[in-house]
Amino acid sequence: MLDWINLISAWAVPVMIAFIPLYAYFKKVPVYESFVDGAKDGFSTAIGIIPHLVGMMVAISVFRASGALDFFVGWMAPFLAWLQVPPEVLPLGFLRPLTGTGSLAFTTDLIKTYGPDSMIGRIASTIQGSTDTTLYVLTVYFGAVGIRNGRYALKVGLFSDVVGFIAAIAVCLLLFG
C-alpha cells in the first residue's frame, strides 16, 4: 500500500501541471494570456493584503511569545498520552489555523528531531495536508475584498481544522500505529 501511495505522490503534481494547461488549450482558453492577466490581478491583491498580513503575524508572535501555547500543551499532555497521541504534535493544531509558514517551520523541526518515518513526523505531515490556515485565509482574503462580516466562515473553517486534525491523527494511528 505504501508503494502505491509513494507512486501517486511522486506523479500527482507533474500530472496536474501538465493536465491543466492542456485542458485549457483544448477548451480554446488563451492559456498564456489568462496566466498574465491573473498575475496582474495577483500583484495588486498582494499589495492590498500587506496590512492584514502584518497584523496577523504580530498576533501570532504575541501568542507564541506569551507562553500561552506552551502552557496549554503542558496542560493537555497527560490526556494526549492516555489517547496514545504524541503531545509534540498539539502545537501544530494551534499553529496551522494561524500561519502556514509557522506551522511548516514547526513541522520541519518535528521531522528533523524525530525523523520523517516516525509517528510524530507522519502525524505532523498529515496534519499539514489535512488542515488549512483558516484565520490567515479569512484575515487576508476577506480583508483584500472588503468583507467585514464573515458570518459562519470562521466557525466552519475552525471546525474543519479540528476535524482534519483529529482525522489526521486517527488515520496515522490506524495505518502506522
Side-chain angles (χ1 to χ4, degrees), residues 31-119:
V31 178
Y32 183 74
E33 291 80 5
S34 297
F35 173 78
V36 171
D37 289 342
K40 285 179 190 175
D41 292 342
F43 186 73
S44 62
T45 301
I47 297 295
I49 65 174
I50 288 175
H52 303 284
L53 183 60
V54 170
M56 180 56 78
M57 296 314 262
V58 168
I60 292 165
S61 297
V62 168
F63 179 67
R64 293 183 77 187
S66 70
L69 179 64
D70 294 332
F71 172 78
F72 191 73
V73 169
W75 183 69
M76 289 291 295
F79 177 68
L80 293 173
W82 180 73
L83 293 174
Q84 298 179 345
V85 174
E88 294 86 356
V89 299
L90 185 60
L92 191 55
F94 291 107
L95 289 175
R96 184 68 176 144
L98 296 173
T99 170
T101 305
S103 64
L104 183 60
F106 189 80
T107 300
T108 302
D109 186 53
L110 287 176
I111 290 172
K112 282 182 184 176
T113 303
Y114 299 101
D117 291 330
S118 67
M119 183 59 75

Side-chain angles (χ1 to χ4, degrees), residues 2 7 58 75 95 112 119 134 145 156 171:
L2 287 177
L7 182 67
V58 168
W75 183 69
L95 289 175
K112 282 182 184 176
M119 183 59 75
T134 301
V145 296
V156 170
V171 166

Side-chain angles (χ1 to χ4, degrees), residues 16-32:
M16 290 301 292
I17 289 173
F19 174 75
I20 292 171
L22 285 172
Y23 181 78
Y25 174 77
F26 287 116
K27 288 290 187 176
K28 307 289 187 218
V29 174
V31 178
Y32 183 74

